[in-house]
């Protein structure tokens, strides 16, 4: 693999640290009044999700990680693995385990596209799209006129995720949800 120096590292760069692929979250160049300049780098281990800071001398280099972000379509789960298929025309399938799927599990919808991070051909992480449209499976019935006070109630979606929704939302409605915050955005349009 190629090496990348500390001055070339940017947020989002993928490097190997202690034998594990890591993503750089932040790279701060520090030049103290006395002594050699260094870089304080904040890293996220892509296997474990652990975040930590490490310092490197300016000019040091790290090996780049063989990590690819690929658009894939979610197919199904067999209870142990979640299966994804490449949408680039190869139709290659990958099975992701529970640690790889992580938080995206509550937003998984069949035939929806997700970004799957592959390391040596194996899924490391799954990222949901920023917004997804899901149907309400269970909630208290909506009452006419409940829009005036702006209250909210919990609603369970078909994926099992629970979100706060306005009081006028009913079972069976399709909602647009922000997956980054887990919040209701609006009713889905064009369905």
């Amino acid at each position: 693999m190629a090496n990348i120096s500390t001055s070339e590292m940017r947020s989002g760069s993928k490097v190997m640290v202690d034998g594990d692929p890591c993503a750089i979250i932040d790279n701060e160049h520090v030049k103290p009044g006395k002594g050699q300049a260094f870089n304080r780098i904040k890293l996220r281990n892509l296997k474990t999700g652990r975040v930590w800071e490490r310092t490197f001398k300016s000019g040091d280099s790290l090996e780049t990680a063989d990590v690819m972000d690929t658009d894939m379509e979610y197919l199904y789960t067999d209870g142990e693995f979640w299966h994804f298929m490449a949408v680039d025309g190869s139709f290659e399938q990958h099975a992701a385990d529970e640690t790889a799927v992580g938080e995206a599990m509550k937003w998984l919808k069949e035939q929806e596209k997700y970004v799957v991070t592959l390391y040596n051909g194996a899924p490391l992480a799954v990222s949901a799209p920023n917004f997804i449209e899901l149907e309400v499976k269970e909630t208290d019935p909506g009452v006419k006129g409940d829009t005036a006070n702006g209250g909210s109630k919990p609603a369970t979606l078909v994926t099992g995720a629970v979100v706060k929704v306005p009081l006028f939302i009913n079972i069976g409605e399709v909602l647009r949800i922000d997956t980054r915050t887990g919040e209701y955005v609006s009713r889905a349009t064009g369905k």
Side-chain angles (χ1 to χ4, degrees):
M1 282 280 112
N3 284 345
I4 184 172
S5 81
T6 53
S7 61
E8 298 169 320
M9 292 180 193
R10 304 283 178 259
S11 181
S13 297
K14 312 283 193 301
V15 295
M16 296 295 287
V17 178
D18 300 333
D20 282 340
C22 298
I24 295 175
I25 298 170
D26 189 36
N27 181 2
E28 178 186 2
H29 180 75
V30 180
K31 187 166 172 79
K34 194 174 187 180
Q36 185 178 0
F38 62 92
N39 287 63
R40 185 177 298 126
I41 299 175
K42 193 173 195 178
L43 302 155
R44 172 180 281 117
N45 186 316
L46 293 174
K47 284 185 175 177
T48 63
R50 185 176 145 244
V51 176
W52 80 99
E53 282 188 3
R54 193 140 171 206
T55 58
F56 296 93
K57 287 188 265 180
S58 286
D60 279 358
S61 63
L62 291 171
E63 181 183 345
T64 57
D66 183 24
V67 175
M68 289 182 355
D69 287 339
T70 311
D71 287 335
M72 297 191 135
E73 184 178 303
Y74 172 62
L75 299 175
Y76 65 94
T77 181
D78 59 15
E80 185 178 356
F81 293 101
W82 287 260
H83 298 269
F84 294 86
M85 179 180 66
V87 294
D88 60 3
S90 68
F91 303 106
E92 187 177 351
Q93 292 189 20
H94 294 276
D97 61 8
E98 189 172 352
T99 56
V101 174
E103 283 294 308
M105 188 181 306
K106 59 186 174 186
W107 310 119
L108 289 180
K109 177 181 171 186
E110 290 179 3
Q111 299 177 344
E112 191 72 37
K113 289 187 179 83
Y114 297 84
V115 176
V116 178
T117 304
L118 298 174
Y119 173 62
N120 292 337
L124 262 185
V126 176
S127 303
N130 291 343
F131 297 98
I132 193 161
E133 295 180 356
L134 296 169
E135 184 179 335
V136 176
K137 183 172 84 176
E138 189 179 305
T139 189
D140 295 332
V143 180
K144 194 170 189 169
D146 274 347
T147 57
N149 61 7
S152 63
K153 62 183 178 181
T156 305
L157 306 174
V158 290
T159 60
V162 177
V163 296
K164 292 268 188 205
V165 298
L167 296 171
F168 58 83
I169 298 295
N170 290 308
I171 295 172
E173 289 190 62
V174 178
L175 307 179
R176 187 171 169 84
I177 306 295
D178 185 336
T179 60
R180 298 165 293 186
T181 61
E183 294 178 355
Y184 162 87
V185 176
S186 65
R187 288 179 173 157
T189 55
K191 287 276 176 178

